[in-house]
Amino acid sequence: MNLIPDLDLLTDDIDAPKLTTDEAVGTRQVYLETYGCQMNVSDSEIVASVLRENGFGLTHDADHADVVLLNTCAIRENAEQKVRHRLSHFRAAKTKHGRDLKIGVLGCMAERLREKLLDQEKLVDLVVGPDAYRDLPRLLHETDETGQAAVNVLLSREETYADIAPVRYDTNGVSAFVSIMRGCDNMCAFCVVPFTRGRERSRPVTSILSEVSQLVEHGYKEVTVLGQNVNSYRVEHDGTAVDFAELLYRISLISPELRIRYSTSHPKDCSDDLLRVHAERHNVCNYIHLPVQHGNTDVLQRMRRTYTRDEYLDLIDRARTICPGISFSTDIIAGFCGETEDEHQDTLSLLEHVGYDHAYMFMYSERPDTYAARKYTDDVPEAIKKRRLTEIIQLQTGIARARNEAEIGQEHTVLVEGTSKRSDAQLYGRTDTNKVVVFDRKDFIKGDYVNVRITDCTSATLIGTPLGKTTLETEAGRLVVA
Ligand code: SAH
Ligand code: SF4
Ligand code: F3S
């Protein structure tokens, strides 16, 4: 569902399948398609690495693949439906052409649907959960040998794939994801992730820092540090505890020209120390994705989010005091169990109050086994959910447009990510505050930092005039002098 106009300009469109690039190595070719969040995109890079190490090649031509793997998402009903359609498509292709094709389901649908996929629907040859990717070559061998489906959906308390160098097969060469933790212990009432990805665990500091250093050596200019709740990152390192603020600080010291973003942060764990790292380090972006989910305290309590509306708004105020000009995006769920009209109005008023630059907005979708599925009734009728979501989207679109209009005349440092989809003569990139900017190509290239004056906008995109190439350090110096 593409809820945001112009979202096709962004690289993190969460529902878009990501394709691999062809590779000459390997005898058997694997086609890998990724659904869901950035964590899944990052996991597919681990999968690609494991497969390549074991002699498989990667292809983006599904018609000529020997193995088709779908890295799946279970977050909402429609995410699962999409995968089922794709599975039926590949199964039909296999039967019709009598191909020796192996079809596998990886990721978040694996655990819950393994019986259905294997038994009732007989759709797949391979089911592999998010903690079992090291086992993929063995499982592929097993299904080859036995002709039976091979399964490993065991969740781990330790696996972080810390020693596996991800294969960045779908990269723009400028920005990369770096996974710092796996799983989630939060148990928000609506959410299936703790069931699909298991317990929270943090990756050792050294392996994170060395992965980021290698990215810098390879010319990358931006990393997005990933976890379901990065703010609860915690490890013991050299006898002291390293939390997320400390980790982010250490990452920021690797290169003054590397921009750092992260996702996702749970409001309950967003500390003042972390906000101070944003303020002190010029290369930690002035932007936080801080999902609120709802604007009413009773609903937040039913959702088990563990903060109130006022606590969330206080956090926004604190962040704006410590980091002037900081930008926020959020996630919103419309039509959660028992949501009244007044409660829905509170979400609208919170959106107005905060003034997010961007929001991902969803209708509540009941997920099996979650607290909400077990304890509450999914009692808001579909039509009302839809109407409330539409109101939320309309309001947020207007807010985003007004915030973009306020940027006209301002200058921003934009990291160029590639050519605009609308015109070869234009480039696109992002501001520090994560806004997409489109401007004339001139002599600039991917990976340049360019100063751009904003001249126009839509609700999702800024349009500007490039003023010249710059560096992050130059811009930081200018701010200090000013
Ligand atoms: N770990 C992240 C969220 C990951 S899921 C966090 O805590 O912020 C991404 C988003 O999907 C959530 O923020 C939520 O808005 C939405 N989502 C999760 N479960 C959902 C459900 N059952 N129905 C609708 N939206 C859901
Ligand atoms: Fe799901 Fe909540 Fe964990 Fe996010 S913090 S992944 S919403 S349980
Ligand atoms: Fe989907 Fe799993 Fe991410 S359920 S949103 S792919 S963690």
Side-chain angles (χ1 to χ4, degrees):
M1 188 169 27
N2 188 352
L3 298 172
I4 320 290
D6 287 358
L7 195 62
D8 61 339
L9 280 169
L10 305 181
T11 50
D12 60 355
D13 176 352
I14 60 164
D15 284 335
K18 307 279 190 301
L19 304 183
T20 63
T21 49
D22 287 326
E23 284 197 355
V25 294
T27 45
R28 286 176 87 192
Q29 298 294 307
V30 180
Y31 171 82
L32 177 57
E33 208 168 86
T34 306
Y35 294 83
C37 65
Q38 295 164 333
M39 292 289 300
N40 253 16
V41 175
S42 173
D43 278 5
S44 286
E45 297 178 343
I46 303 282
V47 169
S49 177
V50 169
L51 290 171
R52 202 162 74 168
E53 283 292 299
N54 284 273
F56 291 88
L58 298 169
T59 175
H60 70 199
D61 182 358
D63 290 342
H64 293 99
D66 305 294
V67 181
V68 165
L69 300 177
L70 302 189
N71 193 359
T72 62
C73 173
I75 201 82
R76 286 168 289 275
E77 177 73 31
N78 60 2
E80 288 193 354
Q81 270 165 8
K82 225 182 263 181
V83 169
R84 284 161 175 284
H85 282 133
R86 283 304 270 168
L87 282 175
S88 307
H89 166 83
F90 288 122
R91 175 61 55 178
K94 176 172 170 166
T95 315
K96 189 170 161 199
H97 304 297
R99 282 171 60 196
D100 181 18
L101 176 68
K102 296 289 177 198
I103 302 173
V105 163
L106 317 181
C108 291
M109 279 173 72
E111 156 62 28
R112 221 174 48 71
L113 293 189
R114 88 188 126 135
E115 278 167 24
K116 266 191 163 175
L117 292 169
L118 290 174
D119 301 340
Q120 296 170 15
E121 304 178 16
K122 301 218 183 307
L123 280 177
V124 297
D125 306 293
L126 203 65
V127 181
V128 188
D131 288 343
Y133 295 147
R134 288 178 200 269
D135 204 17
L136 256 167
R138 188 193 67 79
L139 292 165
L140 272 163
H141 182 69
E142 184 184 312
T143 177
D144 285 342
E145 290 289 300
T146 63
Q148 306 283 310
V151 182
N152 185 348
V153 292
L154 287 177
L155 291 171
S156 157
R157 280 176 175 255
E158 285 94 33
E159 181 64 271
T160 58
Y161 299 114
D163 57 318
I164 294 183
V167 172
R168 319 248 172 216
Y169 58 79
D170 194 31
T171 180
N172 60 6
V174 174
S175 43
F177 295 135
V178 174
S179 192
I180 62 160
M181 57 198 300
R182 300 184 69 80
C184 182
D185 285 350
N186 280 318
M187 294 288 179
C188 301
F190 49 79
C191 184
V192 78
V193 171
F195 302 91
T196 64
R197 289 191 161 255
R199 300 303 298 269
E200 181 181 291
R201 64 221 100 118
S202 297
R203 177 178 168 188
V205 177
T206 320
S207 80
I208 297 170
L209 298 181
S210 93
E211 186 177 332
V212 175
S213 300
Q214 279 169 21
L215 285 166
V216 171
E217 277 164 28
H218 285 97
Y220 282 81
K221 293 292 185 61
E222 182 179 86
V223 291
T224 303
V225 169
L226 293 181
Q228 290 302 343
N229 176 17
V230 289
N231 291 351
S232 61
Y233 177 89
R234 184 165 290 270
V235 290
E236 288 294 318
H237 180 73
D238 288 343
T240 50
V242 173
D243 64 7
F244 184 58
E246 175 68 26
L247 176 73
L248 199 62
Y249 183 78
R250 292 192 194 188
I251 294 174
S252 78
L253 297 178
I254 290 175
S255 164
E257 293 306 311
L258 180 75
R259 262 188 182 175
I260 299 135
R261 305 186 187 280
Y262 58 84
S263 187
T264 298
S265 49
H266 194 298
K268 79 176 163 60
D269 301 315
C270 185
S271 67
D272 285 4
D273 277 353
L274 177 62
L275 297 173
R276 279 190 285 271
V277 174
H278 278 272
E280 279 170 25
R281 297 297 304 157
H282 71 280
N283 54 345
V284 173
C285 289
N286 215 15
Y287 159 73
I288 311 184
H289 181 60
L290 202 58
V292 66
Q293 312 296 357
H294 206 276
N296 175 275
T297 294
D298 290 339
V299 179
L300 287 170
Q301 228 160 37
R302 292 206 292 281
M303 288 179 161
R304 304 175 108 197
R305 287 292 285 186
T306 70
Y307 51 83
T308 64
R309 174 190 172 101
D310 286 346
E311 282 164 356
Y312 183 90
L313 292 177
D314 280 352
L315 173 59
I316 295 279
D317 287 347
R318 269 201 333 275
R320 284 186 165 145
T321 307
I322 296 173
C323 318
I326 194 161
S327 146
F328 297 102
S329 59
T330 199
D331 292 347
I332 298 283
I333 297 178
F336 186 62
C337 309
E339 185 190 64
T340 65
E341 207 52 42
D342 282 351
E343 288 169 343
H344 163 62
Q345 290 299 322
D346 283 345
T347 291
L348 298 177
S349 76
L350 181 128
L351 288 176
E352 288 209 86
H353 187 104
V354 175
Y356 295 102
D357 283 305
H358 182 70
Y360 296 94
M361 300 158 279
F362 312 104
M363 267 197 307
Y364 173 61
S365 163
E366 187 177 87
R367 305 282 62 213
D369 300 329
T370 56
Y371 186 87
R374 286 182 287 118
K375 305 279 182 184
Y376 308 142
T377 312
D378 181 13
D379 54 1
V380 178
E382 185 86 359
I384 294 184
K385 280 185 187 170
K386 269 196 185 138
R387 193 255 301 153
R388 289 180 185 166
L389 179 64
T390 305
E391 286 174 10
I392 288 168
I393 292 171
Q394 279 172 351
L395 176 65
Q396 176 54 32
T397 306
I399 292 168
R401 176 179 288 278
R403 292 186 66 81
N404 279 355
E405 280 166 358
E407 298 281 359
I408 294 174
Q410 304 287 320
E411 283 177 29
H412 281 283
T413 306
V414 176
L415 173 60
V416 180
E417 290 177 30
T419 300
S420 161
K421 284 198 175 161
R422 304 250 159 94
S423 157
D424 277 353
Q426 294 200 305
L427 297 171
Y428 83 97
R430 276 165 221 250
T431 65
D432 186 46
T433 50
N434 207 35
K435 285 174 181 262
V436 174
V437 185
V438 174
F439 58 94
D440 287 344
R441 178 184 291 274
K442 303 216 162 152
D443 291 332
F444 304 111
I445 55 170
K446 215 160 64 163
D448 281 348
Y449 287 110
V450 180
N451 269 336
V452 179
R453 177 171 296 121
I454 308 306
T455 53
D456 202 355
C457 69
T458 68
S459 63
T461 309
L462 299 174
I463 295 139
T465 305
L467 304 174
K469 211 171 138 171
T470 186
T471 66
L472 280 190
E473 262 192 326
T474 314
E475 295 310 312
R478 226 181 260 178
L479 284 176
V480 172
V481 173

